[in-house]
Amino acid sequence: MAEVDLVAEFPRPAGAARWAEVMARFAARLGAQGRRVVLVTSGGTKVPLEARPVRFLDNFSSGRRGAMSVEAFLAAGYGVLFLYRARSAFPYAHRFPPQTWLAALRPAGPPQAGLLSLEAEEKALPGFAAALRSYQEAATAGTFLAVEFTTLADYLHLLQAAAQALNPLGPSAMFYLAAAVSDFYVPVSEMPEHKIQSSGGPLQITMKMVPKMLSPLVKDWAPKAFIISFKLETDPSIIINRARNALEVYQHQVVVANILESIHSSVVIVTKDSETKLLLTEEEVAKGIAIEEKIVDNLQSRHTAFICDRN
Ligand code: PMT
Protein backbone atom coordinates (compact mmCIF):
# COMPACT_ATOMS: atom_id res chain seq x y z
CA MET A 1 0.00 0.00 0.00
CA ALA A 2 1.29 3.51 -0.85
CA GLU A 3 2.80 5.40 2.08
CA VAL A 4 0.52 8.23 3.33
CA ASP A 5 2.41 11.52 3.66
CA LEU A 6 1.39 12.63 7.17
CA VAL A 7 3.52 15.76 7.00
CA ALA A 8 2.14 17.12 3.71
CA GLU A 9 -0.92 18.77 5.26
CA PHE A 10 1.26 21.01 7.46
CA PRO A 11 2.60 24.20 5.83
CA ARG A 12 6.20 23.71 4.67
CA PRO A 13 8.54 26.25 6.28
CA ALA A 14 10.59 28.59 4.11
CA GLY A 15 14.11 27.20 3.75
CA ALA A 16 13.07 23.57 4.30
CA ALA A 17 14.54 22.40 0.97
CA ARG A 18 17.87 24.10 1.70
CA TRP A 19 18.02 22.57 5.20
CA ALA A 20 17.23 19.15 3.73
CA GLU A 21 20.31 19.48 1.51
CA VAL A 22 22.53 20.75 4.32
CA MET A 23 21.46 17.88 6.59
CA ALA A 24 21.95 15.28 3.84
CA ARG A 25 25.47 16.58 3.14
CA PHE A 26 26.30 16.60 6.87
CA ALA A 27 25.12 13.00 7.36
CA ALA A 28 26.85 11.75 4.20
CA ARG A 29 30.18 13.36 5.19
CA LEU A 30 30.15 11.93 8.72
CA GLY A 31 28.88 8.56 7.48
CA ALA A 32 31.81 8.39 5.05
CA GLN A 33 34.14 8.93 8.04
CA GLY A 34 32.54 5.88 9.69
CA ARG A 35 31.13 8.03 12.46
CA ARG A 36 27.84 7.35 14.21
CA VAL A 37 25.37 10.20 13.88
CA VAL A 38 22.55 11.07 16.27
CA LEU A 39 19.58 13.33 15.66
CA VAL A 40 18.71 15.06 18.94
CA THR A 41 15.34 16.81 18.94
CA SER A 42 14.84 19.36 21.69
CA GLY A 43 12.40 21.90 23.09
CA GLY A 44 8.68 22.41 22.58
CA THR A 45 6.71 23.02 19.39
CA LYS A 46 4.53 26.12 19.07
CA VAL A 47 1.04 25.75 17.58
CA PRO A 48 -0.60 28.83 16.04
CA LEU A 49 -4.30 29.41 16.69
CA GLU A 50 -4.81 32.02 13.96
CA ALA A 51 -3.65 32.25 10.32
CA ARG A 52 -1.92 35.57 11.06
CA PRO A 53 -0.90 34.30 14.44
CA VAL A 54 -1.00 36.41 17.55
CA ARG A 55 -1.81 33.52 19.89
CA PHE A 56 -0.17 30.11 20.18
CA LEU A 57 -0.37 26.88 22.18
CA ASP A 58 3.03 26.06 23.66
CA ASN A 59 4.50 23.83 26.38
CA PHE A 60 6.96 23.83 29.26
CA SER A 61 10.01 22.26 27.60
CA SER A 62 13.18 24.31 28.15
CA GLY A 63 15.40 22.26 25.85
CA ARG A 64 17.83 21.54 28.66
CA ARG A 65 17.61 17.75 28.20
CA GLY A 66 18.46 18.09 24.52
CA ALA A 67 21.30 20.60 25.01
CA MET A 68 22.99 18.56 27.78
CA SER A 69 22.60 15.37 25.76
CA VAL A 70 24.26 16.97 22.71
CA GLU A 71 27.32 17.76 24.84
CA ALA A 72 27.49 14.13 26.03
CA PHE A 73 27.06 12.72 22.50
CA LEU A 74 29.78 14.99 21.09
CA ALA A 75 32.12 13.98 23.93
CA ALA A 76 31.39 10.33 23.05
CA GLY A 77 32.46 10.93 19.41
CA TYR A 78 29.06 11.06 17.73
CA GLY A 79 28.21 13.48 14.97
CA VAL A 80 25.19 15.43 16.20
CA LEU A 81 22.33 16.90 14.22
CA PHE A 82 20.49 19.12 16.71
CA LEU A 83 16.90 19.97 15.78
CA TYR A 84 15.91 22.50 18.40
CA ARG A 85 13.28 25.07 19.26
CA ALA A 86 14.56 28.58 18.51
CA ARG A 87 15.73 30.36 21.68
CA SER A 88 15.57 27.21 23.81
CA ALA A 89 18.67 25.84 25.59
CA PHE A 90 21.70 25.58 23.29
CA PRO A 91 24.63 23.21 23.97
CA TYR A 92 27.42 24.81 26.06
CA ALA A 93 25.79 28.27 25.95
CA HIS A 94 22.81 27.33 28.15
CA ARG A 95 25.05 27.33 31.24
CA PHE A 96 25.77 31.02 30.71
CA PRO A 97 22.64 33.17 30.41
CA PRO A 98 23.28 36.73 29.15
CA GLN A 99 23.07 38.26 32.63
CA THR A 100 26.15 36.22 33.71
CA TRP A 101 28.46 37.17 30.83
CA LEU A 102 27.10 40.70 30.37
CA ALA A 103 28.15 41.43 33.95
CA ALA A 104 31.45 39.52 33.79
CA LEU A 105 32.96 40.37 30.39
CA ARG A 106 34.57 43.72 29.61
CA PRO A 107 36.55 45.05 26.64
CA ALA A 108 40.31 44.68 27.16
CA GLY A 109 41.35 47.78 25.25
CA PRO A 110 40.19 49.08 21.87
CA PRO A 111 39.80 46.62 18.95
CA GLN A 112 43.06 46.11 17.04
CA ALA A 113 43.19 45.08 13.37
CA GLY A 114 39.54 44.03 13.61
CA LEU A 115 40.22 41.84 16.67
CA LEU A 116 38.07 42.42 19.72
CA SER A 117 39.67 41.42 23.04
CA LEU A 118 37.49 40.67 26.05
CA GLU A 119 38.48 39.74 29.58
CA ALA A 120 36.76 38.43 32.70
CA GLU A 121 37.65 37.29 36.20
CA GLU A 122 37.94 33.52 35.88
CA LYS A 123 35.74 32.95 38.92
CA ALA A 124 32.99 35.19 37.49
CA LEU A 125 32.47 32.75 34.59
CA PRO A 126 33.47 29.29 35.87
CA GLY A 127 33.63 26.74 33.06
CA PHE A 128 33.21 29.39 30.33
CA ALA A 129 36.58 28.82 28.64
CA ALA A 130 36.13 25.03 28.71
CA ALA A 131 32.63 25.32 27.23
CA LEU A 132 33.90 27.62 24.49
CA ARG A 133 36.74 25.19 23.74
CA SER A 134 34.40 22.19 23.52
CA TYR A 135 31.99 24.04 21.24
CA GLN A 136 34.77 25.23 18.98
CA GLU A 137 36.34 21.75 18.77
CA ALA A 138 33.02 20.38 17.51
CA ALA A 139 32.60 23.31 15.11
CA THR A 140 36.13 22.86 13.72
CA ALA A 141 35.71 19.09 13.37
CA GLY A 142 32.36 19.68 11.62
CA THR A 143 30.62 17.17 13.90
CA PHE A 144 27.78 19.45 15.03
CA LEU A 145 24.93 20.91 12.99
CA ALA A 146 22.13 22.92 14.62
CA VAL A 147 18.80 23.40 12.81
CA GLU A 148 16.05 25.58 14.32
CA PHE A 149 12.31 25.06 14.43
CA THR A 150 9.59 27.16 16.00
CA THR A 151 6.18 25.80 15.04
CA LEU A 152 4.87 22.25 14.96
CA ALA A 153 4.79 22.45 11.14
CA ASP A 154 8.50 23.46 11.01
CA TYR A 155 9.36 20.58 13.33
CA LEU A 156 7.48 17.93 11.35
CA HIS A 157 8.96 18.91 7.98
CA LEU A 158 12.50 19.20 9.36
CA LEU A 159 12.18 15.88 11.24
CA GLN A 160 11.16 14.15 8.02
CA ALA A 161 14.06 15.74 6.13
CA ALA A 162 16.51 14.82 8.92
CA ALA A 163 15.28 11.22 8.85
CA GLN A 164 15.77 11.06 5.10
CA ALA A 165 19.29 12.45 5.56
CA LEU A 166 20.20 9.85 8.22
CA ASN A 167 18.49 6.85 6.63
CA PRO A 168 21.48 5.94 4.38
CA LEU A 169 23.58 5.44 7.55
CA GLY A 170 21.44 2.42 8.51
CA PRO A 171 22.04 1.17 12.08
CA SER A 172 24.80 3.77 12.69
CA ALA A 173 22.12 6.45 12.88
CA MET A 174 20.41 7.13 16.20
CA PHE A 175 17.24 9.16 16.78
CA TYR A 176 16.96 10.70 20.25
CA LEU A 177 13.52 12.28 20.28
CA ALA A 178 13.56 14.48 23.38
CA ALA A 179 11.47 17.34 21.94
CA ALA A 180 8.04 17.91 23.49
CA VAL A 181 5.87 17.75 20.37
CA SER A 182 2.31 19.00 20.49
CA ASP A 183 -0.39 16.35 20.25
CA PHE A 184 -2.99 18.92 19.14
CA TYR A 185 -3.23 21.49 16.35
CA VAL A 186 -5.66 23.63 14.38
CA PRO A 187 -5.56 22.83 10.63
CA VAL A 188 -4.86 25.85 8.41
CA SER A 189 -8.25 25.40 6.71
CA GLU A 190 -10.02 25.80 10.09
CA MET A 191 -8.07 28.75 11.47
CA PRO A 192 -9.62 32.21 11.75
CA GLU A 193 -7.57 34.52 9.54
CA HIS A 194 -7.37 37.41 11.99
CA LYS A 195 -6.71 37.78 15.70
CA ILE A 196 -9.48 36.12 17.73
CA GLN A 197 -11.49 38.92 19.34
CA SER A 198 -12.00 38.82 23.10
CA SER A 199 -15.25 40.75 22.55
CA GLY A 200 -16.64 37.41 21.27
CA GLY A 201 -16.66 36.13 24.89
CA PRO A 202 -15.04 32.98 26.31
CA LEU A 203 -13.06 30.98 23.76
CA GLN A 204 -13.72 27.39 22.76
CA ILE A 205 -11.33 25.76 20.34
CA THR A 206 -11.52 22.29 18.84
CA MET A 207 -8.09 20.96 17.98
CA LYS A 208 -7.21 17.94 15.83
CA MET A 209 -4.83 15.19 16.88
CA VAL A 210 -1.32 15.44 15.46
CA PRO A 211 -0.41 12.05 13.93
CA LYS A 212 2.41 10.33 15.89
CA MET A 213 5.50 10.69 13.71
CA LEU A 214 7.17 7.71 15.38
CA SER A 215 5.07 5.50 13.16
CA PRO A 216 6.35 6.65 9.71
CA LEU A 217 9.83 7.21 11.18
CA VAL A 218 10.18 3.57 12.26
CA LYS A 219 8.33 2.04 9.30
CA ASP A 220 9.32 4.20 6.34
CA TRP A 221 11.73 7.08 6.95
CA ALA A 222 14.60 5.32 8.75
CA PRO A 223 13.63 1.66 9.30
CA LYS A 224 17.20 0.46 10.07
CA ALA A 225 18.09 3.16 12.60
CA PHE A 226 18.32 2.92 16.40
CA ILE A 227 15.32 4.89 17.65
CA ILE A 228 14.72 6.29 21.12
CA SER A 229 11.54 8.09 22.05
CA PHE A 230 10.80 9.83 25.33
CA LYS A 231 7.69 9.45 27.44
CA LEU A 232 6.70 12.20 29.82
CA GLU A 233 3.96 11.77 32.41
CA THR A 234 2.95 13.51 35.62
CA ASP A 235 1.48 10.32 37.16
CA PRO A 236 4.26 7.87 38.21
CA SER A 237 1.80 4.98 38.43
CA ILE A 238 1.21 4.88 34.65
CA ILE A 239 4.60 5.79 33.18
CA ILE A 240 6.10 2.32 32.68
CA ASN A 241 2.95 0.93 31.11
CA ARG A 242 2.76 3.93 28.77
CA ALA A 243 6.40 3.40 27.77
CA ARG A 244 5.79 -0.33 27.18
CA ASN A 245 2.72 0.49 25.16
CA ALA A 246 4.75 2.85 22.93
CA LEU A 247 7.35 0.12 22.29
CA GLU A 248 4.58 -2.32 21.41
CA VAL A 249 2.79 0.10 19.06
CA TYR A 250 5.77 1.61 17.24
CA GLN A 251 8.23 -1.32 17.46
CA HIS A 252 11.27 0.88 18.05
CA GLN A 253 14.16 0.12 20.40
CA VAL A 254 14.03 2.29 23.53
CA VAL A 255 11.75 4.60 25.50
CA VAL A 256 13.26 6.96 28.06
CA ALA A 257 10.53 7.39 30.66
CA ASN A 258 10.48 10.50 32.84
CA ILE A 259 8.20 12.13 35.39
CA LEU A 260 7.76 15.90 35.23
CA GLU A 261 8.90 16.61 38.83
CA SER A 262 12.15 14.64 38.47
CA ILE A 263 13.13 15.01 34.78
CA HIS A 264 16.65 16.16 35.63
CA SER A 265 17.44 13.66 38.38
CA SER A 266 15.93 10.33 37.37
CA VAL A 267 14.72 8.41 34.30
CA VAL A 268 13.94 4.80 33.42
CA ILE A 269 15.39 3.30 30.22
CA VAL A 270 12.72 0.90 28.97
CA THR A 271 13.27 -1.72 26.26
CA LYS A 272 11.20 -4.73 25.16
CA ASP A 273 12.80 -6.86 27.87
CA SER A 274 14.39 -4.52 30.42
CA GLU A 275 13.88 -1.55 32.72
CA THR A 276 16.95 0.33 33.94
CA LYS A 277 16.53 3.14 36.43
CA LEU A 278 19.15 5.91 36.20
CA LEU A 279 19.41 8.20 39.19
CA LEU A 280 21.70 11.06 40.21
CA THR A 281 23.10 10.80 43.72
CA GLU A 282 23.62 13.93 45.85
CA GLU A 283 27.40 13.56 45.44
CA GLU A 284 27.02 13.43 41.66
CA VAL A 285 24.86 16.55 41.70
CA ALA A 286 27.50 18.30 43.84
CA LYS A 287 30.18 17.31 41.30
CA GLY A 288 28.10 18.85 38.51
CA ILE A 289 27.32 15.51 36.83
CA ALA A 290 24.15 15.62 34.72
CA ILE A 291 21.63 12.80 34.28
CA GLU A 292 22.08 13.18 30.50
CA GLU A 293 25.67 11.87 30.82
CA LYS A 294 24.25 8.66 32.31
CA ILE A 295 21.48 8.43 29.70
CA VAL A 296 23.91 8.89 26.80
CA ASP A 297 26.42 6.45 28.30
CA ASN A 298 23.71 3.81 28.66
CA LEU A 299 22.31 4.39 25.16
CA GLN A 300 25.74 4.38 23.55
CA SER A 301 26.33 0.80 24.82
CA ARG A 302 22.91 -0.28 23.59
CA HIS A 303 23.62 1.34 20.22
CA THR A 304 26.91 -0.62 19.96
CA ALA A 305 25.06 -3.88 20.66
CA PHE A 306 22.38 -2.90 18.13
CA ILE A 307 24.96 -2.23 15.39
CA CYS A 308 26.76 -5.56 16.12
CA ASP A 309 23.45 -7.38 15.97
CA ARG A 310 22.44 -5.79 12.64
CA ASN A 311 25.84 -6.47 11.10
O1 PMT B 1 13.29 20.28 27.63
P1 PMT B 1 13.32 19.95 29.11
O2 PMT B 1 12.67 21.06 29.91
O3 PMT B 1 14.71 19.60 29.60
O4 PMT B 1 12.39 18.67 29.33
C1 PMT B 1 12.75 17.45 28.73
C2 PMT B 1 11.48 16.64 28.36
C3 PMT B 1 10.69 16.30 29.62
C4 PMT B 1 10.61 17.43 27.39
C5 PMT B 1 11.98 15.30 27.66
O5 PMT B 1 12.74 14.55 28.58
C6 PMT B 1 10.79 14.47 27.19
O6 PMT B 1 10.24 13.66 27.92
N1 PMT B 1 10.38 14.66 25.90
C7 PMT B 1 9.19 14.00 25.30
C8 PMT B 1 7.95 14.62 25.86
C9 PMT B 1 6.73 14.17 25.12
O7 PMT B 1 6.32 14.82 24.21
O8 PMT B 1 6.23 13.02 25.45
P2 PMT B 1 4.95 12.38 24.72
O9 PMT B 1 4.56 11.26 25.58
O10 PMT B 1 3.92 13.39 24.41
O11 PMT B 1 5.53 11.85 23.33
C10 PMT B 1 6.17 10.62 23.27
C11 PMT B 1 7.08 10.53 22.05
O12 PMT B 1 6.29 10.60 20.87
C12 PMT B 1 8.14 11.63 22.00
O13 PMT B 1 9.43 11.07 21.85
C13 PMT B 1 7.78 12.42 20.74
O14 PMT B 1 8.93 12.75 19.95
C14 PMT B 1 6.89 11.47 19.95
N2 PMT B 1 5.83 12.18 19.25
C15 PMT B 1 5.02 13.06 19.90
C16 PMT B 1 4.00 13.70 19.21
C17 PMT B 1 3.84 13.40 17.85
N3 PMT B 1 2.89 13.98 17.13
N4 PMT B 1 4.63 12.53 17.22
C18 PMT B 1 5.61 11.90 17.90
O15 PMT B 1 6.31 11.05 17.33
Side-chain angles (χ1 to χ4, degrees):
M1 212 165 57
E3 178 192 332
V4 181
D5 188 350
L6 296 175
V7 173
E9 79 159 277
F10 294 87
R12 195 159 196 246
R18 188 181 66 82
W19 276 118
E21 277 173 31
V22 172
M23 292 191 279
R25 275 202 303 274
F26 175 80
R29 180 169 51 77
L30 295 182
Q33 294 169 5
R35 213 182 264 272
R36 297 179 191 179
V37 180
V38 60
L39 172 76
V40 175
T41 70
S42 182
T45 58
K46 198 166 164 181
V47 175
L49 303 183
E50 298 131 337
R52 299 188 196 185
V54 173
R55 299 191 178 86
F56 299 85
L57 179 76
D58 209 335
N59 66 59
F60 77 100
S61 172
S62 66
R64 185 177 142 182
R65 166 84 82 230
M68 299 280 252
S69 303
V70 167
E71 294 174 23
F73 277 118
L74 286 170
Y78 277 74
V80 180
L81 181 46
F82 182 49
L83 181 56
Y84 77 108
R85 165 72 181 271
R87 290 186 289 282
S88 68
F90 196 83
Y92 309 108
H94 67 101
R95 297 165 202 277
F96 309 100
Q99 50 280 33
T100 62
W101 54 261
L102 277 172
L105 285 173
R106 53 185 176 261
Q112 286 190 348
L115 206 62
L116 177 67
S117 298
L118 300 170
E119 61 182 18
E121 298 286 331
E122 206 178 350
K123 62 178 186 317
L125 282 177
F128 191 72
L132 215 50
R133 223 174 288 122
S134 299
Y135 172 75
Q136 281 164 7
E137 268 169 26
T140 308
T143 50
F144 177 57
L145 176 67
V147 180
E148 265 184 22
F149 67 84
T150 299
T151 63
L152 172 70
D154 300 345
Y155 173 84
L156 297 178
H157 280 276
L158 291 168
L159 175 70
Q160 185 179 37
Q164 282 157 358
L166 293 193
N167 185 33
L169 273 55
S172 297
M174 184 196 286
F175 288 77
Y176 183 89
L177 305 170
V181 183
S182 178
D183 286 318
F184 310 103
Y185 78 112
V186 182
V188 174
S189 57
E190 293 172 25
M191 274 181 195
E193 186 183 350
H194 293 288
K195 182 184 168 198
I196 299 166
Q197 293 298 313
S198 58
S199 55
L203 182 61
Q204 278 197 336
I205 299 176
T206 304
M207 302 183 89
K208 272 192 156 175
M209 295 299 298
V210 178
K212 280 278 183 195
M213 292 301 153
L214 267 170
S215 186
L217 176 64
V218 175
K219 277 205 239 131
D220 305 313
W221 299 348
K224 295 195 174 134
F226 186 61
I227 298 180
I228 297 132
S229 71
F230 280 69
K231 176 66 34 210
L232 174 73
E233 294 293 346
T234 50
D235 178 355
S237 69
I238 62 168
I239 183 92
I240 299 298
N241 278 346
R242 303 283 295 126
R244 294 225 154 278
N245 183 53
L247 287 173
E248 181 80 20
V249 172
Y250 303 110
Q251 296 286 309
H252 58 306
Q253 287 70 41
V254 180
V255 175
V256 179
N258 48 186
I259 294 292
L260 187 61
E261 287 69 35
S262 57
I263 51 175
H264 296 300
S265 58
S266 120
V267 301
V268 184
I269 309 278
V270 185
T271 70
K272 206 155 49 75
D273 40 34
S274 70
E275 277 166 33
T276 311
K277 184 158 187 170
L278 304 179
L279 199 65
L280 276 187
T281 63
E282 278 178 21
E283 292 84 63
E284 287 171 329
V285 174
K287 281 193 204 149
I289 294 172
I291 190 82
E292 287 76 11
E293 294 172 52
K294 294 192 168 193
I295 302 174
V296 168
D297 190 51
N298 185 293
L299 293 176
Q300 189 190 357
S301 309
R302 292 178 193 276
H303 191 197
T304 303
F306 178 80
I307 293 170
C308 287
D309 184 52
R310 295 302 137 123
N311 290 338

